Structures are given as C-alpha cells and as structure tokens.
Amino acid sequence: MASPACWKCLSRPSPLQMTSQIQLRSATAAFSTTTPVFNVVKKKTAAGKLIQSKAGQAKTLRLKKKAPVKMGKPPAPGERKAMRKRVVLSNTNALAVPGMQDLKKDIVGNLGKEFVGRVLGIEGKTVDALRAAEAFKPHQSWCFFRRPGILIREETIVLGEKIIDAEKEGGLKLVLDGDRVTGKSLMLVSALAMAHVRGWIVLNVPEAQELTNAVTDYAAIEGSKLYSQNTYTASWLTAIAKTNAAILDKLKLTQEHPEVPIPLPADITLTRLCELGARDPEISWPILQALWKEMTANGRPPIIMALDGLQYISQDSLYRTPDFKPIHSHDLAIVDHFLAYLSGEKTFPNGGAAIAATSRSHAPTSKSMELAIRKSQERQFGGRVIERDTWGRERYDDIRAIEAFRNDENLRSIEVFAERDPWEKNYDARSDRALAKIETMKLAGLSRIEARGLMEYWAQSGLLRKQVDEKIVTEKWTLAGNGVVGEIERGALHMRI
Amino acid sequence: MSTLLHGLRCTARKLRSTPIVQRCSTKPIGMRRPFSTTIPMQDHEPEDANLSFARKKTHSHGGRRLEEEMEMMFEEQQHDELADEDDAMNQIENLMGDWDEEFEKLSEPPPERGKKSVVDTFHNYGEPNDEDEPMELDGEANESSDLYDNLSVLAHGELQQHQEIRHYARLAAWDMPMLSKLAKPFEAPTLDMPLRFRYTTYMGEAHPAEKKIVMEFCISDMPGLTQVQKDKLKKLAGVRYNPESDIVKMSCEMYESQAQNKRYLGDRVDELVKEAKDPKETFEDIPLNLKHHHFKTRPKWPKHWTLTPERKAELAAYRQTSVSSDQQKMLDGLLIDGNTTITEAIQQKSASTSAVPEMVMASRGKPGRVVSVKR
C-alpha cells in the first residue's frame, strides 16, 4: 500500500494534502467496479472442495463422486435379446417390383431354365410360416425390400426337382456346402419355402450351435443314453405349431402314445398337442416324439427338416455327463433324431427331406464332415472332384473353362480321390458313419445371368441407383470373386456410394 | 614419405656410374627374395647389438642435411660397388641396407634443435615421452627413445595395414598358384557309393560345429533292397525322409572328432538297412506318415488364360455381343435403370397424392355447425 507521504520528502503530509490525494484517488477511474471482498468463507460446493492445506504444501482438489442418476426405464428382461434377434421383412420405402411372380405350388414343379435369374416373391402365408420357423436371419438383407423374394439359381431349380422327387417314399438327404456367403442359408430358405408352398410340414433348426454349445438345459433320458433339451424342445414345439398351423389344425390324434406321461385327450388336434408340450418343458420331449409319430402316420403330408451349421453337430458338444465326460452331439435327442433321417437310418414314410447346411464363417472344422462331403462329390461326379476354381463356372457363357478344367490334370486338386488320412487324429467316427451316404450340393458364385437378374431386382426395388447393363454386372461380378452372392450384395447393395 | 623415397631412388639411380646394361640386366633372385622394399617392423630391442650399432651408425649422421647424407650414402655405395661389382647378392644387400637405413632414419626423432621432442596430444597418448629424459642437442637419442614418435599411431596402423595387404598379395602371387598341384579331377560317385557326407571347416578357426557330419542317401539308390524293404526303410527313417527327393538325411555331432561322427552315421545306416531287410516285420500294413513334410503346391499357368490372338478375338466378340444385347434391350425398353425407376415412382406417388384438397369449414366441437366469421 502506497503511503500518502511522499518518499522523497521528509515532511509529513498535511491533512490538506491527504484530502487532495483522496480526491485524486476517487477522481481516477477504478480498474474494476467489483467491490473487493476479503476473508470470505468459501462455500463447500458439491463439485469439489478446495482444501487449503498448510503453508508450503500444494493445494489438492478432492472430487466427490456423484451417484449416477437413473434416467428412463431399463429394458424389460428379454427385450434386448428380442431387439438383437428381430427380423424386419418389409420396407415400405422400397418400391414394389412390377411383374414379380410368387412362388406357387405349380411353379415349384415346373421351374425351368427360363426362371434362372428371376426373383420370385414369397406369399404372405409362407412368409408368416417361415418367420415362425426362424428361417429368416437377422443379418440377411430382407429389411431393404418391399417383400421377401428369393433368387432362382440353377441350384434352386435342381433343389426344386429334388423336392418334387422326395414327395415319394424315401426322401431326400442333402447337405448344402460352399464357401462363405455363397448363399447356403438362403438356399435353405428356398427349400423351406418350396416345401411349405407344396403343403409340406416344415421343421427348422435355425442354428445348430444353440443345441450343442450348452446354453440350454439338458437332462438324461431314462432308459437310453440320449439327453433331452427340454426348454429348447418346448420352444421348438411352439415354432412348429405356429409354422404349420394351417396343416396341423386339420390333423387329429390317431394313435395311442404311452410314452407321454400325461393323459392325452383322444380327439385333440396336433396343434393342441404341440401347445401341451410347449407349456410344460418336462414332457416336451415325449410330446415331440408323439407328434412325430402322428406326423409320419399314414396319409399325412411330407415333412422337411432343415438344419443350419452341420459342423457343430459333427463333433463333441460342450455338455458334460455327471462324470464330467464330454457328451457327443449325436447323443443329444434332437440331433440324434435329425441325423437318423440325414444318414438314411430312418426314412420318411410319406416322403420328406432332411437338409443340412454347413456354416463357413466362424464355425469349427470337422475333418469327418469335410471328408464326407468330398467323397459325396466324388460319388456324384464319377470319381473326379470338380472343385470350383478361381475363374468360376460360367455355365451358359463359357463352357471352355469347364472342359479345360476337366481335361487338364494340373488344374485339378492333387488328391483326386479323397482318402481318409491314416495319421489324422481328429476324425469323428460317429460323424463318419452318419454322413457316409449323404448327397451334397456345392454352391459357388452366381453366373452372370443370375447376377444380372438379381441386380435388376435391386434396381427395380429402388436400391441400386445405376443402369444395370453388362458393364456394371461384370464389374460387380468380378469384384465379388466371380459372383459370390454375399460379395455382390456388399458391393452393390450395402455399400452404396 | 613415398615421394621422398621416390625422389631418393631417382637421385640414387642418377648418381650411379655403373653401366645401365649391367644394372638393368635380369639378376637372379636368390633365396632371400628381397622383392619388397618394405622393412619388416621390429620391436625395439636394445639387446640386439647389431641393431643398436646400426642405429648408432645412422644416428651419427644426425644433424646434417639430407643432401649431405645422400652423398655419404652414395659414397658408401660406390665404394661397395667398386668392391663387389659382380656379386649381385652384395649389391642387393647393400641396397637393402641403404633402405634399412633410410627407414630407420624416418622412424627416428626429427633432428629439431632446442625443442622438446613430443607434445602430449591425443595422437600419442600412452606413448613413453622424453619429458623425464634430458634432451640431447647433438641428436644422440637414448636407446629407449622409441620408434613411434616420428609417426602417429594412426600412421603406424596404416603402415601395418599396407604391410599386411602386401603380405597377402605376396601369398596370392607366389604361393596360391602352387595349389594347382594339389588339385584333383572330379570323379562322379558311382552306384556303389550311395552315401554322401558333408564336412565343415571354419578355415582354421576353432568352432564347435566343425565336428558335425551330415550324411544323406537316396533310398532308391541303396543297393540290394526290394520295394517292400525300401518302403520299410522309409518308415524307419521317419522325419529324416524327404518324399519329394526320396532322400534320407541325418547328422551327428555327438563325438569330438569328425571321424567318430562319421563312423556313427555309417553304423546307423548299416543298422537301418539291416532292419529293413528283416523279413519278420515288413510294416506293410502301416501307412507311410508324411505329415512332417510340407508339399509345396506349385501352381501352373492355366493354358486357356493365355491371351492369344484367337482368345483376344473371342473376348472382343463376346464384348461386342454384350454391347449389342444391351443396346437391343434399351431399344426394347428392357434395360433397367435404378435412377429412372426411382424418379418415375416418385412422380407417380406425387401425382396420386396431388389431388385438390376439399375445403371444409372449421367448427368448434360439433361437426357441421357454421360459425360466423368476424370481418
């Protein structure tokens, strides 16, 4: 603080001087108009407390943690799962494709070469049935289009013919194989749609890994070495009932079922039987057995059973016995039931099909299954493995490539006749036996005609803002590794620049 | 230094009076082969009486100018030449002696007067200096004064390197051609020599792997084995067998000498062949395990990928057809364009919803009730 006395002068300030200086001080503008505040006790705020520590030490800031405020309502149990697994099958923003035919009963029987490359729509009833059967998967691109439709490929025509043939006694045992995103699951959807349209009973296991990765409860069945999965069976019965409501409502119990613990009324419909099993998981497995017996009785329609993820059921499951030994997946009742028909051990009395698709993205390797598929291909092609080579098939465009492949030994794989490796330890003996007599269909890229048809469908739906000519079709086809469907989708449908 | 020598040599040559014919005729090179003018570097050993005598001799010249020294040398030379003119050996010896002198002179301390001999710098760090010794003005240095003071250590290093290079050059020029006498013509191995051994040398250096012997043999070249026995031998060899080259390769470095290791390998081969010939167990039911070997797939160029003129024409024709089919489709109205589809759809939608809206009187509560409007 400046002293009012002048430092140079030894004289004391006079009162006059003081007043003048005071006046001077008031005459000059203050730097700030805020009144200086001294010695104020700081309020302890909620944010933090500035702790004036002892002299010489640094100040610390101690923040008090606030309890988080709960905003909004937490999702109900099961809501997140439902959101994750929801399938949207329609988009009103997409355009309706003019002249789009539907997959009908007579068309399935008469699918000819003129249908290759066309996209056929699925009727409403079939869509509801397949949705109940969980045939549509969340990661597939149904949500882009006005209504679900399936592309008719050459393989679809072949599959249609096989399904027609399977309506007789015996049935079809088919495995769908191919590289990643080549359309195996969608081929399953086509098969289920075609079967449903023809009036078959549809049973679908959408993910085989749900059966074998020990997420559902399991219990040993007394009197056999099989294990039942009650909760899964109960939910499956619900799905079966919903999918095949149209058929099962009209069918009634015709036989006695002593294996079912509860007394069954004699005159119930099969839908009601499914409901009985669905609401009580304890009896779901016997009910399913009873249902199966009814469905395979005389005069009943053919049955199609589809399963996605064959590798998971070709090895040990993740379940354990009470002795902590691993349970083989073939010892699970549902898997055993499916494989009985796939292996040919049992046949469909009224005709039917057991179709399994492999999964090539993030699925375990099953050496037995690979060998079985190779041997099946060799059987079908007369001893020579027609591997899909890198430059594709081009069935209608360029037959030269196929001929050259067939004639040139250097191009074929080294082991033309697949043999069981004597030194390989990871074969699964039970899978070897189960898959010994399967028929396989190996999927590869689309041909250019099919690709063009698909891209025209996208353009007509308003999703592909390009002129669909040979140039763009060839471009997308080539970039997709010679026509792999999933890659064409990635390039033209999802990644829209 | 080289220019000095050169100059010295030239001057010495001029001062000689011997006829050139005699001087420049080829003289036989004796056993001592004084081909090099390089003095072999010697450690300073004052015990060597001859050397110190020689040095003393040279040091006696210290303090004089170079020309005087050369004259002195020349006199000595002349004297020597006159004495034994025909003895080439002596001439050469004298020459060598001269050169020796010259070199020694160079490694002497320079005859600087009134100065201390060496300044302690980085370059002569660690060398014994003459600080403690009294300086002799007439140049008679102590015997302990070393050779190093005239040149720096780096220069000595350079000199040594040069000597080393010359040493090897000498070897290469004179000794290496003698190796041709040791050369043996290559004789290809015959069918009775199926074993092939590999030895390693580290060129005189001691190395732990120099005792390793690697042996390989081809199974189909092993004499006296039937096919079944050869298959058994393959199975017995295990991972040592290479199916692509049909060779079994094994090595041994268990023992201290190469001979022992080789013997061991030979014994193993004998044992293998003996076991292979054993008829009790033929191993025919056991399949050959080749999991240890990675078969490299060497892809071959597909022949129909080659762009020949025919193929080019084919592709051009194919592209032409695709273009024309597109054009035809466009004419027929079958070419689908995503953009036009969308714009048409939007137009249709707006056309259907763009009807004139019906005007309805607004009412409060009950429909149909007309409310007067204040104007």
Side-chain angles (χ1 to χ4, degrees):
Chain A
M1 226 178 99
S3 140
C6 175
W7 291 104
K8 288 182 186 169
C9 318
L10 289 170
S11 63
R12 285 179 187 273
S14 62
L16 275 167
Q17 274 182 330
M18 286 280 285
T19 50
S20 66
Q21 274 172 350
I22 286 162
Q23 278 165 16
L24 267 169
R25 231 181 285 144
S26 58
T28 55
F31 198 69
S32 159
T33 51
T34 322
T35 46
V37 181
F38 307 106
N39 296 331
V40 165
V41 174
K42 280 210 168 92
K43 248 201 287 186
K44 285 185 191 171
T45 56
K49 189 166 73 170
L50 201 67
I51 296 172
Q52 301 279 89
S53 55
K54 297 171 194 147
Q57 286 179 359
K59 290 179 190 168
T60 54
L61 178 68
R62 246 174 246 167
L63 291 167
K64 224 183 215 176
K65 264 192 183 167
K66 278 191 216 174
V69 176
K70 286 193 181 164
M71 304 278 287
K73 196 177 67 139
E79 193 180 314
R80 283 208 183 101
K81 184 175 179 179
M83 283 295 287
R84 205 172 64 234
K85 291 196 164 190
R86 67 169 175 190
V87 173
V88 176
L89 289 174
S90 171
N91 185 355
T92 47
N93 294 319
L95 304 171
V97 175
M100 184 157 140
Q101 279 180 298
D102 275 357
L103 192 66
K104 289 201 161 65
K105 190 169 176 173
D106 46 345
I107 290 178
V108 174
N110 298 322
L111 277 174
K113 282 205 180 131
E114 65 273 11
F115 278 95
V116 170
R118 274 202 230 168
V119 177
L120 298 183
I122 310 177
E123 288 174 319
K125 294 179 292 178
T126 314
V127 169
D128 293 334
L130 294 180
R131 185 205 282 274
E134 290 180 69
F136 302 116
K137 295 198 176 172
H139 63 86
Q140 291 166 347
S141 23
W142 306 108
C143 60
F144 289 111
F145 303 98
R146 193 72 171 232
R147 46 189 290 249
I150 52 167
L151 173 69
I152 304 299
R153 297 164 68 163
E154 288 164 28
E155 287 91 348
T156 322
I157 297 173
V158 170
L159 191 61
E161 286 166 10
K162 285 189 200 284
I163 284 174
I164 303 291
D165 289 339
E167 281 174 354
K168 306 187 295 279
E169 202 182 310
L172 173 67
K173 310 178 283 287
L174 188 68
V175 167
L176 295 169
D177 191 25
D179 281 331
R180 200 183 73 94
V181 294
T182 42
K184 302 179 288 295
S185 296
L186 270 168
M187 195 58 70
L188 267 185
V189 168
S190 312
L192 291 168
M194 288 195 279
H196 187 267
V197 145
R198 302 269 319 168
W200 290 27
I201 296 169
V202 170
L203 268 68
N204 184 34
V205 175
E207 292 282 346
Q209 58 176 317
E210 282 175 14
L211 284 172
T212 58
N213 63 356
V215 292
T216 59
D217 54 295
Y218 71 117
I221 299 171
E222 279 173 57
S224 77
K225 54 181 172 105
L226 297 178
Y227 292 80
S228 68
Q229 288 157 295
N230 294 333
T231 324
Y232 189 90
T233 316
S235 60
W236 205 30
L237 280 167
T238 328
I240 294 168
K242 239 181 141 181
T243 312
N244 304 296
I247 300 168
L248 296 178
D249 272 342
K250 299 184 188 113
L251 301 173
K252 300 221 172 172
L253 277 186
T254 53
Q255 296 165 34
E256 292 290 319
H257 298 286
E259 71 270 12
V260 179
I262 59 161
L264 292 171
D267 213 21
I268 52 169
T269 61
L270 294 185
T271 316
R272 178 78 190 128
L273 182 66
C274 294
E275 283 167 20
L276 285 173
R279 71 171 187 204
D280 189 2
E282 289 297 320
I283 56 160
S284 58
W285 177 246
I287 296 273
L288 184 66
Q289 285 180 306
L291 179 71
W292 188 262
K293 261 205 251 171
E294 289 293 331
M295 291 196 302
T296 50
N298 253 338
R300 298 278 151 97
I303 306 169
I304 181 167
M305 268 206 293
L307 182 132
D308 204 340
L310 185 59
Q311 287 106 320
Y312 293 97
I313 61 169
S314 305
Q315 54 177 15
D316 280 345
S317 71
L318 293 181
Y319 291 109
R320 298 259 178 187
T321 64
D323 302 334
F324 206 68
K325 288 196 195 112
I327 297 174
H328 196 274
S329 47
H330 290 19
D331 285 336
L332 300 169
I334 299 173
V335 173
D336 175 73
H337 176 75
F338 175 77
L339 282 173
Y341 289 91
L342 186 67
S343 62
E345 199 185 304
K346 292 186 194 167
T347 55
F348 298 96
N350 303 321
I355 309 181
T358 59
S359 168
R360 290 295 179 185
S361 57
H362 193 66
T365 318
S366 169
K367 292 218 174 341
S368 291
M369 192 201 75
E370 304 287 347
L371 181 68
I373 288 172
R374 282 200 84 155
K375 286 183 107 69
S376 160
Q377 289 267 292
E378 278 169 11
R379 277 197 305 271
Q380 283 166 225
F381 292 102
R384 287 204 285 186
V385 175
I386 308 286
E387 291 280 351
R388 298 291 179 198
D389 45 66
T390 50
W391 63 86
R393 298 169 308 159
E394 305 209 25
R395 283 146 299 195
Y396 300 113
D397 301 350
D398 189 3
I399 202 75
R400 285 170 69 257
I402 301 167
E403 288 304 317
F405 181 72
R406 282 198 183 134
N407 297 332
D408 195 344
E409 292 225 358
N410 295 323
L411 298 172
R412 288 202 299 271
S413 61
I414 297 167
E415 314 143 24
V416 177
F417 295 101
E419 278 170 9
R420 198 192 153 97
D421 187 350
W423 295 100
E424 179 61 64
K425 290 176 210 162
N426 295 331
Y427 285 122
D428 187 54
R430 294 179 72 169
S431 303
D432 284 332
R433 267 180 278 136
L435 302 172
K437 286 181 270 177
I438 50 168
E439 199 180 326
T440 49
M441 184 189 280
K442 221 165 171 185
L443 298 174
L446 301 175
S447 70
R448 289 216 184 100
I449 294 167
E450 291 160 359
R452 191 184 178 128
L454 189 63
M455 288 173 75
E456 282 177 355
Y457 170 68
W458 294 342
Q460 283 175 320
S461 298
L463 291 152
L464 183 61
R465 290 173 180 258
K466 295 255 164 67
Q467 187 183 66
V468 181
D469 52 11
E470 278 298 306
K471 188 161 176 276
I472 192 176
V473 167
T474 319
E475 181 196 315
K476 299 296 176 193
W477 184 91
T478 313
L479 288 173
N482 287 9
V484 172
V485 210
E487 300 292 339
I488 299 180
E489 254 194 18
R490 257 180 75 201
L493 190 65
H494 300 152
M495 195 161 66
R496 288 149 54 194
I497 304 162
Chain B
M1 196 180 93
S2 62
T3 49
L4 175 72
L5 282 176
H6 182 68
L8 188 67
R9 248 183 33 235
C10 291
T11 321
R13 224 185 268 152
K14 279 183 203 157
L15 294 172
R16 257 176 250 169
S17 61
T18 48
I20 195 158
V21 174
Q22 200 178 13
R23 265 190 300 158
C24 297
S25 65
T26 50
K27 297 187 170 64
I29 298 167
M31 293 288 279
R32 279 177 59 188
R33 284 218 235 146
F35 205 74
S36 156
T37 55
T38 319
I39 291 177
M41 289 301 289
Q42 291 157 354
D43 281 336
H44 174 69
E45 285 164 337
E47 298 84 41
D48 194 354
N50 288 338
L51 218 69
S52 55
F53 174 71
R55 196 164 289 110
K56 273 185 182 151
K57 190 177 162 202
T58 52
H59 287 331
S60 62
H61 294 300
R64 298 187 203 179
R65 291 170 297 156
L66 189 63
E67 289 160 9
E68 286 178 339
E69 284 183 7
M70 275 172 55
E71 276 180 9
M72 295 245 356
M73 269 176 63
F74 170 63
E75 281 169 9
E76 285 171 19
Q77 196 186 21
Q78 269 202 323
H79 175 75
D80 288 341
E81 278 180 12
L82 287 166
D84 325 87
E85 229 171 80
D86 294 318
D87 196 344
M89 191 64 162
N90 283 336
Q91 267 191 356
I92 288 157
E93 276 183 21
N94 292 333
L95 191 68
M96 267 194 69
D98 294 337
W99 288 125
D100 280 331
E101 279 174 27
E102 197 46 51
F103 270 110
E104 280 176 20
K105 257 203 201 89
L106 286 168
S107 37
E108 268 178 25
E112 286 171 6
R113 302 180 197 88
K115 271 189 190 175
K116 269 208 158 181
S117 49
V118 202
V119 176
D120 271 5
T121 58
F122 170 73
H123 294 290
N124 49 10
Y125 173 76
E127 290 167 36
N129 52 16
D130 305 326
E131 272 177 4
D132 305 328
E133 294 154 54
M135 227 253 313
E136 263 118 2
L137 286 170
D138 54 341
E140 180 119 274
N142 284 333
E143 287 172 21
S144 60
S145 80
D146 51 293
L147 303 164
Y148 291 98
D149 296 346
N150 201 18
L151 291 176
S152 63
V153 175
L154 289 173
H156 279 288
E158 286 284 336
L159 194 60
Q160 260 186 331
Q161 197 182 44
H162 187 74
Q163 287 176 346
E164 206 179 310
I165 292 167
R166 288 177 71 97
H167 169 68
Y168 282 110
R170 212 176 294 125
L171 285 178
W174 300 102
D175 293 334
M176 301 270 276
M178 304 286 222
L179 288 172
S180 59
K181 288 185 191 167
L182 299 166
K184 279 195 280 192
F186 175 67
E187 284 154 14
T190 56
L191 282 171
D192 58 339
M193 299 195 275
L195 305 177
R196 184 171 164 186
F197 293 91
R198 189 204 86 190
Y199 317 92
T200 326
T201 178
Y202 286 86
M203 304 304 276
E205 213 180 290
H207 193 280
E210 63 188 352
K211 57 189 186 353
K212 179 174 181 175
I213 306 279
V214 177
M215 181 195 75
E216 53 186 34
F217 61 91
C218 181
I219 283 185
S220 45
D221 288 345
M222 289 304 274
L225 293 176
T226 63
Q227 190 52 47
V228 170
Q229 289 167 347
K230 284 182 185 173
D231 288 343
K232 186 177 174 184
L233 183 55
K234 286 178 195 172
K235 288 160 196 171
L236 289 173
V239 300
R240 297 165 194 83
Y241 175 62
N242 182 346
E244 278 186 294
S245 60
D246 200 33
I247 283 176
V248 172
K249 187 178 183 183
M250 30 192 187
S251 70
C252 178
E253 51 182 336
M254 290 195 282
Y255 301 98
E256 279 120 33
S257 76
Q258 283 192 336
Q260 286 172 307
N261 289 322
K262 187 171 176 179
R263 174 65 189 269
Y264 177 83
L265 286 170
D267 289 345
R268 290 285 77 73
V269 166
D270 289 336
E271 218 177 291
L272 272 173
V273 170
K274 190 179 125 209
E275 282 295 325
K277 287 181 172 168
D278 186 12
K280 211 161 58 167
E281 278 268 1
T282 55
F283 285 22
E284 275 173 304
D285 53 334
I286 298 175
L288 182 61
N289 186 358
L290 296 175
K291 280 194 171 293
H292 60 272
H293 183 81
H294 171 69
F295 284 94
K296 236 185 194 174
T297 47
R298 292 165 186 98
K300 292 208 167 93
W301 176 257
K303 287 194 197 94
H304 63 276
W305 279 15
T306 316
L307 259 185
T308 56
E310 292 87 25
R311 180 65 180 153
K312 277 189 194 173
E314 230 179 293
L315 285 169
Y318 172 73
R319 281 166 197 152
Q320 186 56 45
T321 50
S322 60
V323 162
S324 57
S325 71
D326 273 345
Q327 282 171 348
Q328 189 58 42
K329 278 193 182 162
M330 201 186 299
L331 291 171
D332 293 340
L334 294 173
L335 197 71
I336 293 162
D337 189 346
N339 287 317
T340 51
T341 321
I342 290 167
T343 46
E344 280 167 11
I346 291 167
Q347 278 170 3
Q348 273 178 9
K349 199 173 174 186
S350 61
S352 63
T353 55
S354 67
V356 178
E358 201 185 299
M359 303 291 275
V360 174
M361 200 74 86
S363 65
R364 268 182 269 164
K366 292 178 191 170
R369 191 179 154 204
V370 176
V371 174
S372 62
V373 178
K374 254 192 177 172
R375 284 191 218 279

